[in-house]
């Protein structure tokens, strides 16, 4: 009996040891790392396409750099990414490279607090462009748009904090077969009035056939995109009226301050006209759309229950791979001065962004391997690196010299037009954006109207705009203060490079400080009486 | 067992026994550590700079004391007590006659301008003025004059009228010898001019001077080119407006404002034709 127990124990020991050996060599982390440096690259582009594109670039980069391992972290965007980013950055566990966007609610201060400026690096050629058309060209100038968004959305007018990987725009994705069924042929809308007529025809077709078909696939997320596209046309004139600084363009801080000073209101005729357009577009969505998310709208479209799905070209790869019908991307044209409903408020054709690049990647100031992280960014945004990304993702490249695959070539057919501002009027800041969503039901459906929505917004916005301007001001100050040690640091170092960097830091700090002081004064002047 | 190394003479072993622990603890010279700390600060790594400075043995030199106080400004969490301790160091160092004294005096003023929870623009302005009186050609005094300009434009209670604020800031310009700093104050004066809705002919010369000096990076040069074109047009300087708009289209393309600029060039042509008509 005793011998049997001993054999059983020994057998168990051998089995446990064998299982452990198997686990160690097949499942767990290697005992000795083969690559000295691991860098983490985090983003929220988990649609079909970008992860494949980034993996393709990583694979080649690791072949070229045997000591570096790049890990792609795909974090779901809408609700998780902002909290995940904030908590990791605060806890000093943030990845080396991170995606960030100026529109993320409540995240305005992130670049100033946690990211390192790339301005000096961007002035030098990208070494991975050697032997390409972009050789010897400063890195910044190799981007298709010379980094418009990272410059515009920089918390500091004198610094650039990000580089972009791709280029996106918004498109009306049309179910070609359904359009032929409804209209007898494919009709490409040339202006908003054409779209208005198509949407009316869909409604009539649905009524006659009894089939539940909507003009536009509906959801809360896609509604914001539709609203931002159509709302803008009558507002160009409003923006021009408020442009005291002569920038031909308004920054969010200027729009917010102008509202606080009583210089524009939602109830004024031009803004009401814009809201009327939003109401017309959203009335083509199925009832209850405001409770739904982007994926619901996509499913509605893929099931053939909506003629159009309006969203970014970032969804094009998913749509193409999943749709059982032919899809044609079209532009959502804005109202023009000859529009029968709102034309008198429209001063000209609005622009839809002239090839603005996006998917902005930032370098974490606390990165343990900043040189390697920066080097990977350079590869990903070089001609060969961006080509790998583009071919595997079917997303547009951000870099000049990359060959655009045939399937996505027409995404670059942009509508040129007049400039308006840094952000759409519904997204001037976190509080304004929340107020827009909270009151949106006043605008839609049988019970809603542009006037009701405008009244609700004008009641809620003075407080919301104040909070958003205050947030802008605080985010600017967050940037100003840490610049003093940076300036002292450069001053403590010898050499021409240190002098140049010190001068740049001094200039950008003074510019930011001037803006913060202006915002402080605007807040003080418009402070409501207690 | 045979010895692997020859036996050291007794005195040699004793010397090494004394010297080695000292050498092991000494590390690189203090100057190298301070230079490394400045480099870390320049890279926004104040925490790492603090660690580097903290390991330097012995009484701190003036440069080390300055560096340690500078680090405190951005060492999270920043507390009023720490800032006050830093100010005491700055004030002490500012009594000297070297560049470190000027840097310390400047940074003491910065504490009152932006770092203390309750800024004191009057005190900051007094410190900048005192520094500029004491060592007018020091870089820190020159930079202090730019910051004094900001206080005059927006923060100091007197002068209160916008035109007087701008005049007071403009009066600082001849005292600033460094061209890049002149440029920075010119830009602030111009922006204050549009902010306070001053006549455009008082704003434009400052913007033109900023453009002449050049060297801005980021979004600023693009905004500057647009401002110069648009404000020149509004002020009726059509030829000047055309030159800046055309330069904008040449230097900053593609751009979201290109179509608007082209539209403004069309407006400009119409205005020029009208002006020509009026002259006939």
């Amino acid at each position: 009996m005793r011998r049997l127990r001993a054999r059983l124990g020994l057998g168990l020991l051998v089995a446990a040891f064998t299982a452990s050996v198997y686990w160690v060599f097949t499942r767990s982390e290697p005992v000795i790392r083969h690559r000295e440096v691991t860098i983490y690259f985090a983003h929220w582009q988990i649609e079909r396409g970008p992860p494949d594109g980034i993996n393709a670039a990583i694979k080649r980069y690791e072949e070229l750099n045997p000591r570096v391992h790049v890990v792609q972290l795909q974090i779901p965007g809408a609700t998780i990414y902002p909290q995940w980013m904030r908590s990791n950055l605060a806890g000093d566990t943030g990845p080396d490279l991170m995606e960030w966007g100026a529109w993320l609610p409540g995240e305005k201060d992130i670049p100033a607090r946690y990211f390192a400026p790339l301005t000096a690096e961007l002035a030098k050629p990208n070494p991975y462009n050697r032997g390409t058309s972009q050789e010897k060209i400063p890195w910044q100038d190799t981007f298709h748009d010379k980094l418009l968004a990272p410059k515009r959305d920089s918390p500091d007018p004198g610094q650039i904090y990000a580089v972009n990987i791709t280029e996106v725009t918004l498109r009306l994705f049309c179910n070609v077969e359904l359009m032929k069924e409804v209209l007898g042929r494919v009709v490409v809308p040339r202006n908003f009035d054409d779209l208005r007529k198509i949407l009316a025809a869909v409604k009539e077709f649905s009524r006659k056939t009894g089939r539940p078909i909507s003009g536009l696939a509906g959801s809360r997320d896609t509604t914001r995109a539709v609203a931002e596209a159509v709302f803008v046309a009558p507002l160009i004139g409003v923006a021009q009226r408020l442009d005291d600084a002569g920038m031909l363009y308004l920054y969010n801080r200027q729009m917010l301050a102008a509202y606080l000073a009583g210089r524009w209101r939602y109830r004024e005729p031009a803004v009401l006209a814009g809201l009327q357009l939003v109401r017309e577009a959203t009335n083509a969505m199925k009832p209850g759309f405001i409770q739904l998310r982007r994926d619901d709208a996509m499913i509605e479209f893929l099931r053939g229950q909506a003629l159009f799905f309006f969203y970014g070209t970032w969804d094009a790869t998913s749509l193409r791979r999943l749709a059982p019908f032919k899809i044609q991307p079209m532009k959502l044209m804005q109202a023009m001065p000859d529009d029968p409903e709102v034309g008198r408020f429209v001063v000209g054709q609005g622009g839809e962004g002239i090839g603005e690049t996006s998917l902005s990647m930032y370098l974490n100031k606390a990165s343990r391997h900043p040189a390697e992280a920066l080097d990977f960014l350079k590869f990903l945004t070089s001609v060969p690196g961006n080509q790998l990304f583009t071919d595997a993702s079917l997303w547009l490249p951000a870099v000049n010299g990359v060959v655009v695959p045939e399937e996505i070539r027409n995404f670059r057919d942009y509508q040129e037009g007049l400039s308006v501002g840094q952000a759409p009027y519904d997204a001037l800041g976190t509080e304004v954006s929340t107020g827009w969503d909270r009151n949106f039901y006043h605008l839609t459906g049988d019970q809603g109207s542009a006037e009701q929505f405008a009244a609700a917004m004008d009641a809620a916005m003075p407080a919301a705009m104040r909070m958003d301007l205050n947030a802008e001001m605080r985010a600017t100050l967050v940037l100003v203060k840490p610049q003093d040690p940076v300036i002292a640091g450069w001053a403590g170092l010898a050499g021409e490079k240190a002098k140049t960097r010190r001068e740049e830091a001094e200039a950008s700090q003074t510019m930011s400080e001037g803006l913060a002081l202006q915002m402080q004064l605007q807040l003080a002047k418009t402070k409501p009486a207690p | 067992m045979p010895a692997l190394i020859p036996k050291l003479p007794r005195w040699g072993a004793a010397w090494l026994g004394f010297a080695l622990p000292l050498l092991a603890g000494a590390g690189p010279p203090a100057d190298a550590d301070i230079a490394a700390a400045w480099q870390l600060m320049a890279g926004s790594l104040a925490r790492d700079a603090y660690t580097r400075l903290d390991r330097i043995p012995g009484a701190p030199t003036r440069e080390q004391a300055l560096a340690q106080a500078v680090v405190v400004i951005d060492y999270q969490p920043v507390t009023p007590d720490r800032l006050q301790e830093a100010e005491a160091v700055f004030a002490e160092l500012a009594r000297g006659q070297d560049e470190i004294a000027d840097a310390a005096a400047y940074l003491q003023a910065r504490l009152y301008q932006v770092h203390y929870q309750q800024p004191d623009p009057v005190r900051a302005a007094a410190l900048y003025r005192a520094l500029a009186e004491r060592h007018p050609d020091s870089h820190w005094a020159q930079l202090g004059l730019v910051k004094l300009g900001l206080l005059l434009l927006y923060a100091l209670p007197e002068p209160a009228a916008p035109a007087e604020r701008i005049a007071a800031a403009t009066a600082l310009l001849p005292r600033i010898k460094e061209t890049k700093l002149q440029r920075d104050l010119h830009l602030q004066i111009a922006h204050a001019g549009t902010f306070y809705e001053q006549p455009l002919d008082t704003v434009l010369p400052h913007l033109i001077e900023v453009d002449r000096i050049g060297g801005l990076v980021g979004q600023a040069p693009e905004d500057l080119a647009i401002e110069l074109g648009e404000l020149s047009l509004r002020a009726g300087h059509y030829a000047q407006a055309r030159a800046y708009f055309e330069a904008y289209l040449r230097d900053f393309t593609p751009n979201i404002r290109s179509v608007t600029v082209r539209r403004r060039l069309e407006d400009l042509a119409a205005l020029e034709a009208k002006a020509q008509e009026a002259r006939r």
Side-chain angles (χ1 to χ4, degrees):
Chain A
M1 189 67 185
R2 193 173 284 176
R3 187 176 288 176
L4 183 68
R5 273 189 192 168
R7 281 182 181 171
L8 192 65
L10 191 65
L12 279 173
L13 195 67
V14 170
F17 179 75
T18 310
S20 305
V21 167
Y22 172 77
W23 184 263
V24 164
F25 284 103
T26 61
R27 306 292 295 274
S28 67
E29 288 280 297
V31 177
I32 300 166
R33 285 181 183 276
H34 292 294
R35 291 174 185 260
E36 291 166 41
V37 173
T38 300
I39 55 173
Y40 294 89
F41 181 99
H43 64 91
W44 64 75
Q45 310 303 160
I46 57 173
E47 299 91 345
R48 305 224 173 172
D52 299 341
I54 292 163
N55 270 339
I58 288 174
K59 188 165 174 266
R60 179 65 186 137
Y61 181 78
E62 289 185 345
E63 285 168 8
L64 295 171
N65 297 276
R67 52 183 287 280
V68 182
H69 177 45
V70 184
V71 178
Q72 179 179 195
L73 302 175
Q74 300 172 51
I75 314 295
T79 49
I80 296 171
Y81 191 91
Q83 287 92 331
W84 177 86
M85 172 173 64
R86 170 79 67 184
S87 53
N88 275 287
L89 286 170
D92 212 11
T93 55
D96 304 87
L97 297 164
M98 302 186 81
E99 187 178 7
W100 179 84
W103 63 92
L104 291 174
E107 308 293 331
K108 194 87 187 162
D109 60 313
I110 293 279
R113 281 188 201 278
Y114 299 111
F115 297 147
L118 304 177
T119 324
E121 287 296 324
L122 283 161
K124 297 185 267 185
N126 180 345
Y128 288 104
N129 278 334
R130 210 164 290 143
T132 73
S133 61
Q134 303 303 300
E135 185 176 9
K136 295 181 184 164
I137 296 175
W139 187 19
Q140 184 186 338
D141 295 344
T142 65
F143 291 90
H144 186 233
D145 63 345
K146 298 182 184 173
L147 296 175
L148 283 180
K151 283 191 285 177
R152 180 193 59 214
D153 297 332
S154 169
D156 180 343
Q159 296 287 357
I160 303 171
Y161 283 75
V163 293
N164 290 347
I165 312 301
T166 186
E167 187 179 307
V168 290
T169 189
L170 295 163
R171 284 288 176 264
L172 263 179
F173 294 97
C174 174
N175 178 336
V176 172
E177 275 109 82
L178 185 57
M179 184 176 253
K180 284 180 182 164
E181 211 180 329
V182 174
L183 300 171
R185 64 198 169 97
V186 174
V187 178
V188 178
R190 288 158 301 147
N191 52 44
F192 188 82
D193 199 41
D194 285 351
L195 179 66
R196 192 183 270 141
K197 286 169 187 156
I198 295 171
L199 296 178
V202 174
K203 201 165 253 183
E204 182 58 19
F205 178 83
S206 175
R207 193 189 60 77
K208 270 188 190 163
T209 59
R211 283 166 59 185
I213 297 172
S214 305
L216 281 164
S219 75
R220 188 190 342 163
D221 307 315
T222 53
T223 297
R224 289 297 289 263
V226 171
E228 287 168 5
V230 301
F231 188 32
V232 75
L235 302 183
I236 298 170
V238 178
Q240 289 177 352
R241 189 185 79 214
L242 302 175
D243 180 22
D244 300 332
M247 299 266 192
L248 300 182
Y249 180 87
L250 290 179
Y251 286 95
N252 290 351
R253 60 176 184 274
Q254 295 170 306
M255 283 300 297
L256 294 164
Y259 189 91
L260 290 179
R263 296 178 63 200
W264 70 277
R265 285 290 179 265
Y266 287 87
R267 60 176 175 272
E268 71 180 70
V271 184
L272 275 177
L275 294 173
Q276 184 58 39
L277 292 172
V278 177
R279 181 174 156 76
E280 281 189 56
T282 52
N283 278 352
M285 295 175 180
K286 69 179 179 187
F289 66 88
I290 209 74
Q291 306 300 328
L292 304 174
R293 302 309 303 255
R294 183 266 301 260
D295 290 351
D296 301 305
M298 196 185 267
I299 290 167
E300 186 190 354
F301 177 70
L302 292 171
R303 282 181 179 160
Q305 293 168 347
L307 178 62
F308 294 117
F309 173 72
F310 183 71
Y311 216 41
T313 50
W314 54 86
D315 276 331
T317 309
S318 304
L319 290 170
R320 280 208 177 95
R321 288 183 189 173
L322 298 172
F325 47 81
K326 190 182 170 199
I327 291 173
Q328 183 173 338
M330 300 174 177
K331 289 177 208 155
L332 174 52
M333 301 300 289
Q334 295 173 11
M336 294 292 285
D338 61 357
D339 187 273
E341 302 290 331
V342 302
R344 64 188 183 283
F345 299 110
V346 179
V347 297
Q349 172 72 60
E352 63 166 359
I354 301 164
E356 197 165 304
T357 60
S358 62
L359 208 171
S360 300
M361 293 304 302
Y362 290 77
L363 173 63
N364 185 351
K365 212 189 273 186
S367 164
R368 280 157 191 85
H369 306 291
E372 287 82 358
L374 187 63
D375 192 61
F376 176 65
L377 264 194
K378 285 180 180 171
F379 178 72
L380 187 55
T381 58
S382 66
V383 175
N386 213 226
Q387 186 73 64
L388 288 166
F389 169 81
T390 301
D391 291 344
S393 66
L394 284 184
W395 281 32
L396 283 172
V399 176
N400 294 324
V402 174
V403 179
V404 180
E406 181 60 39
E407 301 99 297
I408 56 172
R409 215 161 272 174
N410 72 347
F411 290 165
R412 275 224 168 130
D413 175 21
Y414 298 108
Q415 180 57 56
E416 285 201 328
L418 299 170
S419 49
V420 185
Q422 183 178 8
Y425 276 34
D426 63 317
L428 295 170
T430 304
E431 296 299 321
V432 172
S433 188
T434 307
W436 176 280
D437 278 344
R438 196 182 297 132
N439 289 296
F440 199 74
Y441 71 96
H442 287 297
L443 185 61
T444 58
D446 295 340
Q447 307 298 316
S449 72
E451 289 77 9
Q452 267 188 53
F453 178 74
M457 288 296 276
D458 280 333
M461 283 303 106
M465 299 253 181
R466 172 165 294 281
M467 285 172 78
D468 282 338
L469 185 59
N470 200 36
E472 287 265 347
M473 188 269 292
R474 277 188 283 111
T476 310
L477 273 181
V478 160
L479 192 86
V480 165
K481 293 180 185 181
Q483 284 294 307
D484 277 331
V486 171
I487 290 166
W490 287 120
L493 297 167
E496 200 53 36
K497 179 193 160 198
K499 181 173 176 257
T500 306
R501 298 294 304 276
R502 191 204 71 217
E503 285 172 351
E504 286 174 4
E506 287 167 355
S508 61
Q509 186 197 45
T510 299
M511 283 189 273
S512 299
E513 218 167 332
L515 293 177
L517 285 163
Q518 286 188 352
M519 287 186 264
Q520 274 174 351
L521 265 187
Q522 285 159 334
L523 285 163
K525 272 187 190 168
T526 56
K527 195 174 180 180
Chain B
M1 184 187 283
L4 292 174
I5 49 170
K7 275 187 183 172
L8 290 167
R10 193 171 291 173
W11 63 268
W15 185 88
L16 273 180
F18 176 72
L20 275 176
L22 280 180
L23 286 171
D31 282 356
D33 270 328
I34 296 171
W38 288 129
Q39 185 71 58
L40 289 164
M41 273 187 251
S44 302
L45 298 170
R47 190 172 282 267
D48 296 343
Y50 181 89
T51 312
R52 193 80 187 227
L53 291 164
D54 202 38
R55 74 184 201 193
I56 301 174
T61 60
R62 279 173 64 75
E63 187 181 2
Q64 187 186 337
L66 176 72
Q68 273 168 329
V70 172
V71 158
V72 168
I73 292 175
D74 193 31
Y75 193 96
Q76 302 297 329
V78 176
T79 63
D81 288 349
R82 282 198 190 157
L83 290 178
Q84 275 161 8
E85 283 168 25
E87 192 196 345
V89 176
F90 290 142
E92 178 59 33
L93 291 171
R95 292 200 182 98
Q97 290 298 320
D98 53 2
E99 199 193 335
I100 286 170
D102 296 340
Y106 170 81
L107 288 160
Q108 188 186 3
R110 291 296 289 162
L111 291 177
Y112 286 100
Q113 188 167 5
V114 293
H115 292 283
Y116 279 130
Q117 201 163 10
Q118 198 59 49
D120 183 346
V122 175
R123 174 92 173 111
L127 289 165
Y128 289 133
R129 284 194 175 106
L131 174 59
E133 287 295 321
R134 203 163 58 243
H135 294 128
D137 295 331
S138 144
H139 172 72
W140 298 105
Q142 297 267 297
L143 181 58
L145 288 173
V146 177
K147 303 298 184 186
L148 175 61
L150 280 174
L151 291 172
L152 286 163
L153 291 169
Y154 301 110
L156 287 171
E158 294 294 334
E164 289 171 23
R165 284 183 179 278
I166 289 170
T170 308
L172 297 173
L173 282 167
R175 297 168 65 188
I176 300 175
K177 305 287 186 294
E178 294 185 28
T179 50
K180 295 284 167 59
L181 294 178
Q182 271 178 9
R183 172 201 63 193
D184 295 345
L185 185 54
H186 274 298
L187 186 62
Q188 291 312 308
I189 293 169
H191 285 169
T194 50
F195 181 76
Y196 290 125
E197 297 173 15
Q198 295 299 293
L200 293 179
D201 280 330
T202 65
V203 172
L204 278 163
H206 294 290
L207 290 178
I208 291 168
E209 200 54 19
V210 175
D211 185 53
R212 189 190 64 76
I213 296 169
L216 290 175
V217 292
Q219 177 73 3
E222 191 181 319
D223 283 348
L224 175 68
I226 290 270
E227 283 173 289
L228 275 162
E230 178 63 11
L231 298 183
S232 298
L233 188 153
R234 291 183 194 175
H237 307 307
Y238 299 147
Q240 184 171 297
R242 179 175 294 283
Y244 283 118
F245 277 146
E246 285 173 353
Y248 174 82
L249 290 177
R250 189 184 59 236
D251 298 340
F252 300 101
T253 300
N255 196 292
I256 200 157
R257 286 180 280 192
S258 301
V259 172
T260 313
V261 170
R262 286 204 291 273
R263 168 75 82 89
R264 293 305 273 157
L265 279 167
E266 287 167 20
D267 296 342
L268 191 57
L271 288 166
E272 281 170 330
K274 207 172 158 185
Q276 212 165 12
E277 190 71 24
R279 276 200 296 273
R280 276 185 197 150

